[in-house]
Amino acid sequence: MREFLLGLRLLFGSGRGTRVRFLLMTLGGSLGVCALALVLTIPAILAAYDGRAAAREPQVYPGGTKISGHALVLQRSDPHGSKPFGRVFLAPGTEDTPAPPPGLSRLPSPGEVYVSPALHDQLRREPGLKGLLPGTEKGVIGAAGLTDPNELYAYIGTARDTIGADARALRSFGSAYPPTTAVDSSTLDIIRFTLACLVLLPLGVFLSVCAKLSAASRNRRLAALRLLGLSAKGTQRVNAAETVVAALLGAVLGLGEFWLLNQVMARTGLPGLQWYPGDGALSASTVAVCLLGCPALAWFVGRASARAAATNPLSTRRTAAPRSPRVWGALLLVTGLGVVAGYCATGLTAHPAQSDGVNALLVPAGVLLTGLGLVLTLPLLSYALARRLARSDNLTLNLAMRRNEVEPGSAMRVVTGLVLLVFCASLAQGVLVELDQVSRSDSPTQEYGLSLSALSTDQQRRLREIPGVDTDVLVMNHVDDLQSDTDDDQANALVATCAQLAALVRRVEGCVDGEVLAMSDPNAPVTPFTASTYTLEKDGRRTSFKVAVPKAQLLYTGQEVTNVGDASLIVPPGRLPAGAVPASATLVLASSSAPSVVRSVLDRIGAIAPTADVDPTGVNVEALQQITVVETLLALGMVMGLVIGVAAFLVSVTDRAVERRPQVTALALIGARARTLRTVQCLQVVLPLAVGLLLALVAGKLAESAYLVTGGGQIFWDGAGVPLLLAATLGVLAVAIAGTLPLVGRRIDPELIRRD
């Protein structure tokens, strides 16, 4: 306790520089704790989402039959744009009435509708949605019955004779598991690992940087205490007192920052991810980790950083040259690179490795060893580079490299955060590529099917003009005559030109514009058909349109999931009578299959035809929503990693410049120009950083490729992401240069070198 109080007295009585350092340590620690609390709270937010979805899930009686006297339930989930729109129809019973679901005080009576707040607002903007909600709105659903504030959900009361044949006898509400999770458990494990790399690794570097601020001046002060008779352990406790108090105050401040951030973000939301403020409330475990774990870490870091001054105070007071970096950090890097390179090599064989069994542990271990080894190898690389370049005859380069040779550990503090940022960016890019592969088909096009009878002429025109829609066709249904024995031999027809057909399929041969042709896909079974009859509408009247069996045919290879496969004939649009439209047909729109384009087109379709039943062929809207959540979480992790990495760089490079003011002043007094000193300061940072970034690019791409190979997708080598990473690397170098240039002042203060 005596050493702890002595450390506090030295903290508040050692001048303005010490207090500024303490403030930087506190603010830096608060930023780190805020980021840590956010990472720890994300699983709780997703768990709250799943918990409310499970609590409202209807439970039916075994067998699913209608039981006399019991309430009936029918669930419907439709896409409204790129978001799911859930509806629950409820018919009252005469006995054993179940308790209402969360968010409602009672079950709706026939003709009553309860909607979510987001759906209530949507009804004002799109009155056409009321066609999907038969009844009168009686109130809104409470937060306990909704997964998030932006959910479209409704409970609709209806009569037993109109609820539909699919309705089942309702037993209760509430299930142990949600019907669909916000993020799959396997994907959530990947997100946790990626966020750990994106946030926790830079966070560890940042806290280490904050703990080592003004290391040289503090070590000289601690060495003086040791020479005055304080024990070695007591000297370490004196230094740990400052770091512990800074970490504790930073933890309290960081938890306050997170509370404010949670209140703001919960109300504004993120793309695809919104939550209630209570979902992101700090749990007891998160508070314990932050308030106990961070000071405990600071205690050990503070004691370790004072070990040199406590064990060898004379060399510290006389500023003896430190020993050269050890090579054991490079061994970690070599081990990690060996693991990830081995998995990359399996991608060149006929049987690439899979992410199961021991591979599920070795791949993450290889990535972590590579990242940790990258951090610990930077001082060794900086030392080797400095020794090599310090022999140059160039004065500027000689001055810059001599300092890095004498103090190689300073490069680790300055550049490690930015190097890790590039490494983690490559890994996050690989996760996005792998999720994109497994979440959608390989087709380059995405189709959207809408019943033509549910669309007005104006809606059809506006749908065809949606930005992003590349082509549109009609799949015309033949006349369904139940009295005819030959009805099953008729075929649906595709009303399209050859260019439109080519835009929907992988390959087409033998298509001739203006002619009716039979369509044949070698990969699909051949179904013979006779002359087919279709019903057309023109000026309110219906006419028949008969197409004979054509002799000529075209060959095509369709996509995996497509509406084209429903048609066996292609009819040119010009063959239909002018002004006539099919009475029974499907309007098929096609766009690029890029997720962002699909979301945009679905949103525009929902705005133009809100009550139309949209079939996004091959796309699960819930899965599309999940991809958006995953992308948002990764983007959030990247932003946090960027903030932490840049903050660590700015804090460390500023502290390094302040600590080196005596040496800079001495050089200025003997005639060195300010331009030379700025160049020296820049080279001391940029050269080790450039080497570290180059190594981070190579290591990051290897780690990304190892992840992609074991992921089982079609893409093993993400060449498309290289330009983005190179641009990020150049941006990091530009930030480093801009951050080092202003740190050499114009005023010379001889007092700075009085003691030297």
Side-chain angles (χ1 to χ4, degrees):
M1 190 65 181
R2 180 171 61 90
E3 292 85 356
F4 186 82
L5 295 177
L6 177 59
L8 295 182
R9 291 184 61 184
L10 290 174
L11 169 62
F12 296 106
S14 298
R16 185 178 62 181
T18 302
R19 291 191 290 271
V20 170
R21 182 185 71 244
F22 178 79
L23 179 62
L24 285 175
M25 293 172 63
T26 302
L27 294 178
S30 70
L31 179 61
V33 168
C34 181
L36 177 62
L38 184 57
V39 172
L40 295 177
T41 307
I42 285 176
I45 293 175
L46 299 179
Y49 178 102
D50 295 339
R52 286 194 293 270
R56 72 185 184 192
E57 179 67 10
Q59 299 297 299
V60 298
Y61 281 95
T65 57
K66 295 182 180 180
I67 300 178
S68 176
H70 288 272
L72 303 178
V73 62
L74 176 66
Q75 290 181 283
R76 287 286 183 264
S77 182
D78 307 294
H80 180 73
S82 60
K83 296 187 296 185
F85 177 17
R87 294 175 294 164
V88 179
F89 293 87
L90 296 168
T94 57
E95 59 184 47
D96 194 20
T97 302
L104 293 183
S105 58
R106 63 179 180 85
L107 292 177
S109 301
E112 295 181 344
V113 178
Y114 288 87
V115 299
S116 63
L119 181 56
H120 175 78
D121 297 336
Q122 196 74 20
L123 287 171
R124 295 180 179 178
R125 296 189 293 268
E126 300 178 11
L129 281 177
K130 293 181 179 178
L132 299 176
L133 305 170
T136 304
E137 183 179 332
K138 287 296 183 179
V140 295
I141 305 171
L146 300 172
T147 57
D148 62 76
N150 203 33
E151 186 182 22
L152 302 179
Y153 205 78
Y155 290 100
I156 304 168
T158 184
R160 295 179 66 89
D161 56 349
T162 60
I163 193 172
D166 296 336
R168 295 294 179 263
L170 177 64
R171 182 171 59 184
S172 63
F173 289 94
S175 171
Y177 303 98
T180 58
T181 58
V183 178
D184 291 336
S185 58
S186 59
T187 305
L188 185 58
D189 292 337
I190 297 173
I191 294 300
R192 286 171 176 164
F193 173 73
T194 308
L195 286 179
C197 294
L198 287 173
V199 180
L200 297 185
L201 282 179
L203 178 59
V205 173
F206 188 29
L207 295 179
S208 176
V209 166
C210 292
K212 294 182 178 180
L213 290 174
S214 300
S217 60
R218 277 196 294 170
N219 284 341
R220 286 196 296 270
R221 186 182 64 193
L222 294 172
L225 292 176
R226 181 73 177 94
L227 292 173
L228 288 175
L230 192 63
S231 65
K233 291 185 178 180
T235 304
Q236 291 177 301
R237 295 191 190 103
V238 169
N239 185 58
E242 179 179 352
T243 57
V244 167
V245 173
L248 184 59
L249 292 180
V252 174
L253 183 60
L255 292 178
E257 293 171 357
F258 171 78
W259 179 87
L260 181 61
L261 183 66
N262 178 55
Q263 298 297 319
V264 173
M265 292 179 65
R267 286 166 172 78
T268 59
L270 295 171
L273 181 63
Q274 284 194 327
W275 65 90
Y276 294 100
D279 297 345
L282 291 166
S283 64
S285 59
T286 300
V287 173
V289 168
C290 295
L291 292 183
L292 299 179
C294 290
L297 177 63
W299 172 264
F300 290 107
V301 171
R303 293 196 60 180
S305 61
R307 185 177 295 115
T311 56
N312 197 353
L314 286 177
S315 63
T316 302
R317 290 297 301 175
R318 294 171 180 173
T319 60
R323 63 187 178 185
S324 60
R326 298 180 179 180
V327 299
W328 66 272
L331 295 178
L332 290 179
L333 178 62
V334 171
T335 303
L337 287 177
V339 173
V340 297
Y343 282 103
C344 290
T346 65
L348 302 174
T349 65
H351 302 285
Q354 300 294 320
S355 58
D356 52 6
V358 69
N359 296 337
L361 297 177
L362 284 180
V363 174
V367 173
L368 290 178
L369 284 176
T370 303
L372 184 60
L374 188 62
V375 172
L376 299 178
T377 307
L378 288 178
L380 182 61
L381 292 176
S382 177
Y383 178 74
L385 179 67
R387 290 198 63 183
R388 179 82 179 186
L389 298 181
R391 303 171 185 173
S392 172
D393 295 332
N394 185 285
L395 175 62
T396 302
L397 191 60
N398 193 298
L399 286 175
M401 294 298 102
R402 286 297 181 188
R403 171 52 55 182
N404 282 357
E405 182 182 4
V406 172
E407 193 182 359
S410 62
M412 178 178 177
R413 300 203 309 269
V414 175
V415 308
T416 299
L418 299 180
V419 170
L420 272 181
L421 180 63
V422 173
F423 173 78
C424 295
S426 181
L427 183 62
Q429 196 174 63
V431 174
L432 288 176
V433 170
E434 195 266 343
L435 289 175
D436 184 59
Q437 289 184 87
V438 301
S439 60
R440 63 184 180 95
S441 66
D442 297 332
S443 172
T445 60
Q446 173 60 49
E447 298 180 9
Y448 316 85
L450 298 94
S451 176
L452 196 66
S453 60
L455 302 172
S456 66
T457 303
D458 180 65
Q459 286 177 325
Q460 295 176 36
R461 177 187 59 80
R462 293 170 61 193
L463 288 171
R464 290 185 171 98
E465 296 174 353
I466 289 177
V469 172
D470 301 323
T471 188
D472 60 271
V473 298
L474 289 177
V475 177
M476 189 165 52
N477 301 322
H478 60 80
V479 174
D480 190 8
D481 187 0
L482 299 179
Q483 304 299 322
S484 173
D485 296 333
T486 63
D487 182 62
D488 294 336
D489 296 333
Q490 298 190 74
N492 293 338
L494 180 70
V495 182
T497 63
C498 291
Q500 291 173 325
L501 175 62
L504 292 175
V505 299
R506 298 182 180 180
R507 183 180 61 89
V508 60
E509 295 180 3
C511 186
V512 180
D513 278 319
E515 294 188 12
V516 178
L517 303 171
M519 300 173 60
S520 176
D521 185 353
N523 299 321
V526 178
T527 303
F529 60 92
T530 61
S532 303
T533 304
Y534 309 93
T535 302
L536 304 181
E537 288 186 351
K538 182 180 180 181
D539 299 331
R541 299 176 59 186
R542 293 197 171 194
T543 60
S544 296
F545 178 69
K546 189 172 183 179
V547 179
V549 179
K551 295 181 180 180
Q553 70 174 8
L554 63 85
L555 300 176
Y556 76 98
T557 302
Q559 306 291 351
E560 293 180 0
V561 182
T562 178
N563 290 280
V564 175
D566 297 336
S568 299
L569 286 170
I570 180 169
V571 177
R575 287 295 185 94
L576 299 181
V581 295
S584 177
T586 300
L587 174 63
V588 180
L589 309 176
S591 72
S592 166
S593 60
S596 58
V597 176
V598 174
R599 283 192 291 267
S600 175
V601 172
L602 281 173
D603 287 336
R604 292 178 183 272
I605 291 175
I608 295 172
T611 59
D613 185 14
V614 183
D615 177 20
T617 310
V619 171
N620 187 338
V621 175
E622 285 78 8
L624 194 66
Q625 186 80 0
Q626 184 176 126
I627 297 171
T628 306
V629 173
V630 172
E631 291 177 346
T632 297
L633 292 178
L634 289 180
L636 182 62
M638 284 296 298
V639 171
M640 287 192 294
L642 175 63
V643 170
I644 293 172
V646 172
F649 168 76
L650 294 178
V651 169
S652 58
V653 78
T654 303
D655 176 70
R656 187 169 179 267
V658 171
E659 202 172 37
R660 289 202 56 235
R661 284 186 302 171
Q663 290 81 15
V664 172
T665 302
L667 292 173
L669 286 176
I670 63 176
R673 294 181 299 177
R675 181 183 301 175
T676 302
L677 294 178
R678 288 192 178 93
T679 306
V680 168
Q681 192 86 323
C682 183
L683 289 176
Q684 287 175 348
V685 173
V686 172
L687 286 181
L689 177 60
V691 175
L693 290 177
L694 179 61
L695 185 58
L697 278 175
V698 176
K701 293 305 294 182
L702 285 174
E704 176 190 0
S705 298
Y707 177 80
L708 290 176
V709 167
T710 56
Q714 298 296 323
I715 298 177
F716 287 174
W717 325 109
D718 179 29
V722 174
L724 180 61
L725 286 178
L726 289 176
T729 302
L730 294 177
V732 167
L733 283 174
V735 170
I737 294 173
T740 56
L741 290 180
L743 297 179
V744 177
R746 295 182 177 181
R747 187 174 64 88
I748 298 176
D749 185 7
E751 180 65 21
L752 293 172
I753 61 173
R754 180 179 63 83
R755 294 180 180 179
D756 288 351

